[in-house]
Amino acid sequence: MINEQNCADGFGFTAVGTKNKVTKVTEAQVSGCEEAAARTVEMAAGGEEMQLKPVGMRQGASFASFASFSEGPGPVRSFTAAGRASPP
């Protein structure tokens, strides 16, 4: 069974023939709505280290989810529904 505790110390996977490794999963803080959950996922993909921050939020009957990521040093960028990167 896969659960947060099993994933916290990392795991490996292959996507489109490339070996990847999630090295650490931790809870991240998020606020501003009735319910929210976020994680910081540290990973190595294609020899590069990066962070992925998935977020899910609920306000009333509305639910939103999004993710931001950082490829190495520098600011974290978020992508809009249209797939365009936001300014840093």
Side-chain angles (χ1 to χ4, degrees):
M1 174 178 214
I2 297 174
N3 62 41
E4 188 172 320
Q5 186 60 43
N6 291 345
C7 297
D9 295 326
F11 56 91
F13 65 97
T14 302
V16 193
T18 302
K19 293 185 185 261
N20 302 280
K21 176 145 177 72
V22 171
T23 56
K24 187 176 180 182
V25 178
T26 54
E27 186 174 356
Q29 298 299 314
V30 63
S31 62
C33 58
E34 292 175 10
E35 291 183 275
R39 301 292 181 263
T40 299
V41 180
E42 297 178 23
M43 57 188 300
E48 300 289 328
E49 292 184 9
M50 60 189 299
Q51 283 188 345
L52 175 66
K53 295 188 178 189
V55 177
M57 306 174 91
R58 182 190 66 81
Q59 180 70 34
S62 299
F63 176 78
S65 65
F66 58 93
S68 61
F69 69 93
S70 174
E71 295 180 299
V76 173
R77 295 176 178 258
S78 295
F79 278 80
T80 66
R84 292 184 290 256
S86 66

